[in-house]
Amino acid sequence: MATFVGAIDQGTTSTRFILYDHAAKPVVSHQLEFTQIYPQAGWVEHDPMEILATVRTAMEVVLTKATEQGIQVQGKLKAVGITNQRETTVVWSKSTGKPFYNAIVWMDGRTSAICRQLEEKLPQGGRHFVKTCGLPIHPYFSATKLLWLMESVPEVKTAIESGDALFGTIDTWLIWNLTGGANSETTIHVTDCSNASRTMLMDLETLQWHEPTLKSLGIPRSILPKIISNVEMIGEISEGWPFVGVALAGCLGDQHAAMLGHYCKKGEAKSTYGTGCFIISNTGEQIVPSNHGLLTTISYKLGPDSPTNYGLEGSIAIAGAAVQWLRDNLGIIKTSSEVEEVAKTVSDAGGVYFVPAFSGLYAPWWRDDARGVLVGLTRYTNKGHIARATLESMCFQAREVLTSMKADAAGGDAKVEGEFLLKVDGGATVNNLLMQLQADILGSSVVRPADIETTALGAAYAAGLAVGIWTEKQIAELTAGSGASSIFHPQVTEDERERRYQSWNKAVERSFGLADLAS
């Protein structure tokens, strides 16, 4: 009998629901974009209620599409997994289910002043919590966003005092609502260890909230969700949603879901090209501290009693978002997919370098005072050069991260043997020019799988593991036999590669210390 597993993929700019069959092939899907809110320079918000609405619509449309195609889903959908944009922070009312404020998005930079205050106050400055959580003090992470809400939104402070406030990242917000929310007698307020690892509040060794950190930041334990593994039964979809009674049975932050979707084992790395670009290398059961600007994080934990796979991560804030900027703000292209065609009208970037530090620079620089710069412009420069420089900006940033990753891994036992192959996924990877540029700038081969939506696939794998649709061995086999991959090999000389990389680094240095220009 046919069986299906569903995946909710709630990203930074869109939400999708995908139905997979027993062979882990996508059968039906639907995707919707939603509103990006920019109250002022450097601030980015989402409406949590709109996010819920897009999840509901995506699920409803998939059900309708399946019915129209003669696919019987009801009774055959065995579980739904969730994957989500990480760090994005919501505080809502336990009694009404309404958020007290918009969700503060992961790339939002409003908490820079809070971070500076913490660095001055704490004995070890910006690295005070690194030993515990693997993360520096930075606006990127949920804890500082929560502190801003506690300090700046009176309703949040009042609700915390009265016991009516709940905190969560997007996974927690979705699970709470999908399982009944304010209408449920037994609400499910949980997060998984991968999402919790991005808050700055979780102890990487125990996978629990770190009480000394909570105390030093003044964050009450009572508003935080319970931390669970990536693969376990969470609850059932409640009345009022499509697929009532189906198990919610797996949850991972988007980058960790991509790790599982690729089935990256110890020593293997993947790069996801979406709104940002996120590269994680699996370091196995070893927690590897970074001395080169990377984050120590979770790769995945496939069950409550399963070993924890840790990782080193390089987070790049702006990747595909730079292409959206060309489309929406500058009008250089009409659709995101058009960027490849425009970039191919020129043979190179004409000496133009674009550093898209719209909200500062993340790994390995961690400069929240940086702002975007476009350098090397002449009267010769045209939109093709700018489009190509935009694509190259993703590749140069990825190279910086991978260089740091190799340096950190060399200090532990997570070394990569043989030829290094970068596994890639995400919407931007359909761009063949981008993939070739990445191979050229990296000096290593780039492997693109047949199914590039690896994030959603990872969420489906997690749910399927939890309910027994697949075993871990079967997932390894499914991944290995998932279809023909495209491999892009470097086509430029080492001298050319290094010359361009040095020029890129000059451009990066020009972006520092520009945040006060907007004040």
Side-chain angles (χ1 to χ4, degrees):
M1 186 178 73
T3 57
F4 301 100
V5 177
I8 296 169
D9 181 358
Q10 203 300 296
T12 307
T13 60
S14 70
T15 299
R16 79 181 79 204
F17 185 73
I18 303 179
L19 204 63
Y20 292 89
D21 63 16
H22 195 273
K25 300 296 183 185
V27 178
V28 188
S29 68
H30 189 68
Q31 180 177 7
L32 305 94
E33 290 193 355
F34 58 92
T35 309
Q36 305 297 303
I37 304 167
Y38 305 104
Q40 56 181 275
W43 292 29
V44 190
E45 297 176 0
H46 293 157
D47 178 352
M49 301 306 291
E50 184 184 7
I51 286 176
L52 285 184
T54 61
V55 172
R56 183 187 305 277
T57 300
M59 295 170 75
E60 289 172 344
V61 173
V62 163
L63 182 56
T64 300
K65 285 182 177 179
T67 302
E68 290 172 349
Q69 294 174 31
I71 301 171
Q72 178 59 44
V73 178
Q74 299 287 16
K76 298 180 181 180
L77 178 60
K78 300 304 180 183
V80 171
I82 291 176
T83 184
N84 60 286
Q85 52 169 315
R86 304 172 301 169
E87 297 98 14
T88 298
T89 298
V90 189
V91 179
W92 68 95
S93 166
K94 188 187 306 182
S95 58
T96 69
K98 303 296 183 184
F100 294 112
Y101 190 84
N102 280 335
I104 301 180
V105 179
W106 57 269
M107 68 176 74
D108 183 285
R110 76 186 65 188
T111 64
S112 291
I114 291 174
C115 293
R116 298 295 84 76
Q117 292 167 9
L118 290 172
E119 288 170 3
E120 293 171 5
K121 167 187 166 186
L122 296 168
Q124 298 174 59
R127 296 185 62 80
H128 185 80
F129 302 116
V130 167
K131 189 174 181 181
T132 302
C133 69
L135 311 176
I137 295 171
H138 192 273
Y140 181 21
F141 307 113
S142 307
T144 65
K145 303 178 194 298
L146 175 55
L147 289 175
W148 186 90
L149 289 166
M150 292 166 61
E151 294 175 7
S152 305
V153 182
E155 294 86 350
V156 170
K157 183 177 180 181
T158 301
I160 289 174
E161 291 172 350
S162 68
D164 190 43
L166 294 175
F167 155 83
T169 42
I170 295 297
D171 57 308
T172 304
W173 170 245
L174 293 182
I175 291 167
W176 191 82
N177 281 281
L178 283 162
T179 56
N183 298 319
S184 175
E185 294 181 5
T186 56
T187 57
I188 298 178
H189 185 219
V190 299
T191 188
D192 75 272
C193 55
S194 68
N195 275 295
S197 75
R198 314 298 295 184
T199 61
M200 221 167 73
L201 304 174
M202 189 190 81
D203 186 326
L204 282 174
E205 291 188 0
T206 66
L207 305 188
Q208 298 299 320
W209 302 120
H210 189 243
E211 293 294 343
T213 299
L214 298 180
K215 185 177 179 180
S216 65
L217 295 177
I219 294 174
R221 172 68 183 83
S222 60
I223 69 172
L224 304 181
K226 176 186 176 183
I227 300 173
I228 61 174
S229 75
N230 300 123
V231 174
E232 57 184 275
M233 295 292 289
I234 299 170
E236 293 183 351
I237 298 175
S238 67
E239 295 285 344
W241 289 89
F243 310 117
V244 176
V246 172
L248 286 177
C251 183
L252 310 93
D254 49 10
Q255 307 314 316
H256 315 273
M259 288 290 282
L260 180 56
H262 282 291
Y263 196 60
C264 283
K265 301 182 292 298
K266 180 179 176 180
E268 296 181 333
K270 69 88 199 172
S271 182
T272 299
Y273 299 77
T275 301
C277 177
F278 303 88
I279 305 170
I280 303 182
S281 173
N282 189 330
T283 61
E285 296 178 46
Q286 178 189 15
I287 297 176
V288 178
S290 176
N291 296 312
H292 299 87
L294 302 183
L295 308 174
T296 303
T297 191
I298 302 282
S299 282
Y300 46 71
K301 181 179 175 66
L302 304 183
D305 301 319
S306 297
T308 303
N309 274 245
Y310 292 95
L312 282 170
E313 176 172 346
S315 307
I316 297 163
I318 303 295
V323 175
Q324 292 175 321
W325 181 74
L326 294 183
R327 181 193 69 189
D328 300 338
N329 295 56
L330 299 190
I332 287 178
I333 54 176
K334 293 180 180 178
T335 64
S336 294
S337 58
E338 191 182 326
V339 71
E340 181 175 12
E341 178 186 342
V342 174
K344 288 171 76 172
T345 61
V346 294
S347 59
D348 56 49
V352 174
Y353 291 86
F354 178 29
V355 183
F358 297 151
S359 52
L361 287 170
Y362 287 10
W365 300 99
W366 298 108
R367 294 289 297 257
D368 57 14
D369 65 332
R371 287 298 179 267
V373 296
L374 190 61
V375 300
L377 299 176
T378 67
R379 285 292 297 272
Y380 171 70
T381 303
N382 62 40
K383 67 179 183 179
H385 297 115
I386 294 173
R388 198 174 185 102
T390 300
L391 296 181
E392 288 186 351
S393 74
M394 303 185 210
C395 304
F396 283 122
Q397 291 180 94
R399 171 169 170 170
E400 287 177 335
V401 166
L402 285 160
T403 299
S404 296
M405 195 166 279
K406 290 176 182 177
D408 278 329
D413 64 358
K415 298 177 184 178
V416 179
E417 301 296 336
E419 182 190 8
F420 177 77
L421 298 174
L422 180 65
K423 299 180 179 181
V424 300
D425 62 87
T429 61
V430 297
N431 187 319
N432 289 328
L433 177 59
L434 173 65
M435 296 294 94
Q436 185 58 55
L437 289 170
Q438 184 65 88
D440 290 345
I441 289 168
L442 187 59
S444 298
S445 297
V446 171
V447 182
R448 182 179 64 194
D451 181 2
I452 62 170
E453 299 303 341
T454 317
T455 299
L457 179 60
Y461 279 159
L465 281 169
V467 298
I469 299 294
W470 300 299
T471 64
E472 195 173 339
K473 180 181 177 182
Q474 287 173 322
I475 285 176
E477 293 169 350
L478 286 167
T479 305
S482 60
S485 298
S486 300
I487 302 179
F488 298 83
H489 301 288
Q491 295 180 353
V492 301
T493 66
E494 183 69 17
D495 287 346
E496 170 71 6
R497 178 165 35 252
E498 293 308 310
R499 182 189 65 77
R500 290 164 63 187
Y501 186 53
Q502 292 306 315
S503 297
W504 160 261
N505 281 317
K506 288 182 182 179
V508 170
E509 290 171 4
R510 302 297 193 277
S511 73
F512 296 162
L514 300 181
D516 58 353
L517 293 182
S519 59

